[in-house]
Amino acid sequence: VDTRFGHLHALRTIRDEGDVVIVIDQTQLPHRLIERRLTCLEDAAEAIRAMQVRGAPLIGAAAAYGVALALRRDAGDASLERALATLAATRPTAVNLHWAIARMRERLAPVPPAGRAHTALNEARALCAEGAATNHAIGEHGLALIEALVRSKRRRVNVMTHCNAGWLATVAYGTALAPVYAAQASGIETHVLVSETRPRNQGLLTAWELRQAGVPHTLVADNAAGYLMRQGAVDLVIVGADRIAANGDAANKVGTYLKALAAQDNGVPFYVAAPGSTIDWECPEGDAIPIENRSGDELRSIVGLDSRGRPARVQLAPGDTGVDNPAFDVTPARLITGMICERGTLPPNALRAAFEPVAPMHG
Amino acid sequence: VDTRFGHLHALRTIRDEGDVVIVIDQTQLPHRLIERRLTCLEDAAEAIRAMQVRGAPLIGAAAAYGVALALRRDAGDASLERALATLAATRPTAVNLHWAIARMRERLAPVPPAGRAHTALNEARALCAEGAATNHAIGEHGLALIEALVRSKRRRVNVMTHCNAGWLATVAYGTALAPVYAAQASGIETHVLVSETRPRNQGLLTAWELRQAGVPHTLVADNAAGYLMRQGAVDLVIVGADRIAANGDAANKVGTYLKALAAQDNGVPFYVAAPGSTIDWECPEGDAIPIENRSGDELRSIVGLDSRGRPARVQLAPGDTGVDNPAFDVTPARLITGMICERGTLPPNALRAAFEPVAPMHG
């Protein structure tokens, strides 16, 4: 059942009513605001696969809820393992998915089947609440960077971002946009340069949520990032991450690496904002991060609103056009000024000292 | 009057029937192949402004023909100057436009008005013929680079390009694609990585013309360029140019600079293919090149084919979304491996020695 909303303030990216998990269908945004009701494991897995829920932190939350939905029907060991495996196979790059799955396994395996469904729901809720708190902390640490720039530039700060690492990509606040929202809450106005983010145009999600929040922003083509930095139009870049290797190399939406190169060439600070759960200690460096390749149809056709305001798909290139469509790229740690995490803003090579002892999920 | 074509082999990007100049309306490609008949100065100026004709060399040819059309009606000094000024104001960045206008002025000013229309038509035809010969030479010089790569790699060479600097952007052969076509004529198969080139998607023009020519190619998002280079999927980059400063800095379609940065970071050779008429000796460096800013509607909406195969525009972002849309950027000479010109492949700092003495159009 789809539901249409007139009032945004009641919305959350993910919430539950016990036996139903309710998400915003992000494939319909910015054209339509529609919720989807997930009632079983396959609903949750398909929502992640089809990118109805997207953004590394939100994928993790949806996977946790997916386990809870699966266990409502059958809480035996086989069902639990099947749920964990099904969810783990949905998307390859974002490690928060695997982090959430590992956390659910660790929490649920020792619980007798009769108590698992209840425990799983509580754990999914806890994971969401912690995610919100984590992102709030990221916002506060990022705010300090923005405040310092406001003091030195004595004018409004221009933040460039890529893809959507805002409220929509997380349970709350966002990662890359959390500092922008924290600034707004402190009465500091920023201006966000939103790159379109082809081929799935998640920049339009970012523009949509910034508009809802009343944050000034400007949409630009991905191609314009270098020119704008060279013109001095960008004070800092903040992006999210889908997986950070132990050495600080960061996988994020394809095109991030190009922005990092342009930032370095123009002396613009380049930050990655992500929770500690994005770090994969088993990946020694970026080249070990699996990169998802998605359907060429993402470039061959596109959905917009037709002249009557209805969503309509149009074909941009013939259906048999050969396409290569990697969804992520890796930004080497050498191009990253700092990681904005819940424990502060750290140089990429300080992640291990800050996080590893207390987050040994993968070893 | 629009004309639809079934047979491509009879097509040229620009040709004349004496009193009419016929161009392909490139705003309709790749969806429809339609010609436009230009009969007066304003037709020609509007075709350039609206990008029905586009690509620096083709804009120059269209401007030359525009002068010829203007003089058919009134060949007096005032009419000539008005035509030159109208055409010069159509688009700011491509210097070939100004080069063609200067050439027409130089050729026509000494001619008595009675003979000007005839002279202008002949000069426009000569400029087109020379453009074709120039691009043929660019193809031969670029072919040598491809042959060397085939010898060292012992496999098919992968060429990445940006925007459309092919046959469609010129009178014939193209600039960046001329080496690819020269390779094909020599029996050497290349594979072209075609970047989409947002916001106007001229990469789809490149894919269309490569398909017509039977050249293997793959469409990729602009954002994917860095990832693909890092994966070793690109052997060399060849792009065109709209204006080259005296120091070798090159303005080209926005996003070119990002590709050049990625090429440097991955040790991929980066070439700019352009005729000598693209060099502006009055621009000491890239920062002096005027960069066109185009309508934000280029990002807010897009034309594709609807489910019945008819061209249809869909809205991607609300009409009041703020957009910044620079159409070009500047790649510093330090990032350019070589300039493939009609006089050979030259390091950027060798342009002056190769060209200036014989092309003192601007000083």
Side-chain angles (χ1 to χ4, degrees), chain B residues 56-73:
Chain B
L58 183 56
I59 289 172
Y65 269 122
V67 174
L69 290 173
L71 298 188
R72 282 188 61 251
R73 304 208 171 169

Side-chain angles (χ1 to χ4, degrees), chain B residues 293-334:
Chain B
N293 224 288
R294 294 186 60 88
S295 166
D297 287 337
E298 293 186 346
L299 278 132
R300 293 188 204 102
S301 69
I302 194 167
V303 173
L305 295 177
D306 68 15
S307 58
R308 293 157 72 177
R310 298 167 312 191
R313 180 174 293 276
V314 293
Q315 197 77 14
L316 300 176
D320 60 350
T321 304
V323 172
D324 193 1
N325 184 23
F328 302 92
D329 62 21
V330 174
T331 298
R334 66 183 149 86

Side-chain angles (χ1 to χ4, degrees), chain A residues 165-207:
Chain A
W167 167 70
L168 282 169
T170 64
V171 173
Y173 303 113
T175 51
L177 293 188
V180 168
Y181 293 133
Q184 190 187 35
S186 300
I188 299 170
E189 188 178 271
T190 61
H191 170 247
V192 183
L193 286 151
V194 179
S195 62
E196 186 183 33
T197 317
R198 288 290 290 157
R200 287 184 69 98
N201 294 14
Q202 292 96 332
L204 300 181
L205 302 182
T206 295

Side-chain angles (χ1 to χ4, degrees), chain A residues 196 198 211 257 265 320, chain B residues 196 198 211 257 265 320:
Chain A
E196 186 183 33
R198 288 290 290 157
R211 175 188 289 245
Y257 168 43
D265 202 45
D320 60 350
Chain B
E196 185 182 35
R198 287 288 292 158
R211 174 188 288 243
Y257 168 45
D265 202 45
D320 60 350

Side-chain angles (χ1 to χ4, degrees), chain A residues 21-292:
Chain A
V21 176
I22 300 158
V23 298
I24 297 172
D25 180 353
Q26 300 195 25
T27 64
Q28 302 293 314
L29 284 175
H31 308 305
R32 290 192 301 189
L33 182 57
I34 290 176
E35 286 191 336
R36 301 272 174 213
R37 299 170 69 84
L38 316 177
T39 61
C40 62
L41 168 66
E42 192 43 46
D43 282 357
E46 183 55 25
I48 297 171
R49 253 183 241 121
M51 296 179 66
Q52 292 178 352
V53 294
R54 44 148 296 282
L58 182 57
I59 289 172
Y65 269 123
V67 175
L69 289 173
L71 298 188
R72 283 189 62 252
R73 306 210 170 169
D74 177 351
D77 287 349
S79 170
L80 174 60
E81 285 306 317
R82 193 175 69 87
L84 297 169
T86 300
L87 291 159
T90 50
R91 293 195 66 196
T93 301
V95 80
N96 315 58
L97 176 70
H98 304 285
W99 169 85
I101 287 167
R103 174 168 162 167
M104 294 300 278
R105 175 185 280 118
E106 195 165 281
R107 181 79 183 83
L108 294 168
V111 176
R116 276 183 185 160
H118 182 74
T119 304
L121 184 61
N122 282 342
E123 191 67 12
R125 287 173 177 167
L127 188 147
C128 287
E130 290 167 28
T134 294
N135 295 352
H136 191 269
I138 287 172
E140 295 302 314
H141 295 305
L143 169 60
L145 301 172
I146 291 173
E147 285 174 333
L149 280 167
V150 169
R151 280 194 297 273
S152 74
K153 307 255 175 199
R154 299 173 175 278
R155 59 159 172 77
R156 192 172 70 170
V157 168
N158 297 298
V159 181
M160 177 175 276
T161 190
H162 187 56
C163 195
N164 174 265
W167 167 70
L168 282 169
T170 64
V171 173
Y173 303 113
T175 51
L177 293 188
V180 168
Y181 293 133
Q184 190 187 35
S186 300
I188 299 170
E189 188 178 271
T190 61
H191 170 247
V192 183
L193 286 151
V194 179
S195 62
E196 186 183 33
T197 317
R198 288 290 290 157
R200 287 184 69 98
N201 294 14
Q202 292 96 332
L204 300 181
L205 302 182
T206 295
W208 181 84
E209 74 166 80
L210 291 173
R211 175 188 289 245
Q212 307 303 322
V215 175
H217 58 280
T218 300
L219 180 67
V220 301
D222 301 305
N223 280 325
Y227 174 77
L228 293 169
M229 289 192 214
R230 205 172 157 93
Q231 295 297 110
V234 182
D235 297 313
L236 80 167
V237 181
I238 314 180
V239 299
D242 292 81
R243 189 182 303 214
I244 298 171
N247 73 341
D249 294 350
N252 189 45
K253 182 56 53 194
V254 70
T256 301
Y257 168 43
L258 294 173
K259 287 188 166 59
L261 287 167
Q264 186 191 52
D265 202 45
N266 292 283
V268 174
F270 182 94
Y271 292 98
V272 172
S277 56
T278 310
I279 306 166
D280 182 356
W281 300 110
E282 291 190 349
C283 269
E285 58 181 28
D287 287 346
I289 299 176
I291 299 296
E292 179 177 10

Side-chain angles (χ1 to χ4, degrees), chain B residues 90-281:
Chain B
T90 50
R91 294 194 66 196
T93 301
V95 79
N96 315 59
L97 176 71
H98 304 286
W99 170 85
I101 287 168
R103 173 167 162 167
M104 295 301 277
R105 175 185 279 119
E106 196 166 279
R107 181 77 182 85
L108 294 168
V111 175
R116 274 182 185 159
H118 181 73
T119 304
L121 184 61
N122 281 342
E123 192 66 12
R125 288 173 175 168
L127 187 149
C128 287
E130 290 168 28
T134 294
N135 294 353
H136 190 269
I138 287 172
E140 295 302 314
H141 295 305
L143 170 59
L145 301 172
I146 290 174
E147 285 174 333
L149 280 167
V150 169
R151 280 193 298 272
S152 73
K153 309 254 176 198
R154 298 175 177 276
R155 59 160 172 75
R156 192 172 70 169
V157 168
N158 297 298
V159 181
M160 176 174 278
T161 190
H162 187 55
C163 195
N164 173 265
W167 168 69
L168 282 169
T170 64
V171 172
Y173 303 112
T175 51
L177 293 186
V180 168
Y181 292 133
Q184 189 187 34
S186 300
I188 299 169
E189 189 178 271
T190 60
H191 169 248
V192 182
L193 287 150
V194 179
S195 61
E196 185 182 35
T197 317
R198 287 288 292 158
R200 288 186 69 98
N201 293 15
Q202 291 97 333
L204 300 181
L205 302 182
T206 295
W208 180 84
E209 74 165 80
L210 291 173
R211 174 188 288 243
Q212 305 305 322
V215 174
H217 59 280
T218 301
L219 180 68
V220 301
D222 301 306
N223 280 326
Y227 174 78
L228 293 169
M229 289 192 214
R230 204 172 158 95
Q231 294 298 108
V234 182
D235 297 312
L236 79 167
V237 181
I238 314 180
V239 299
D242 293 81
R243 190 184 301 215
I244 298 171
N247 73 340
D249 293 350
N252 189 46
K253 183 56 53 193
V254 71
T256 301
Y257 168 45
L258 294 173
K259 288 188 166 59
L261 287 167
Q264 187 193 49
D265 202 45
N266 293 283
V268 174
F270 182 94
Y271 292 97
V272 172
S277 57
T278 310
I279 306 166
D280 182 356
W281 300 110

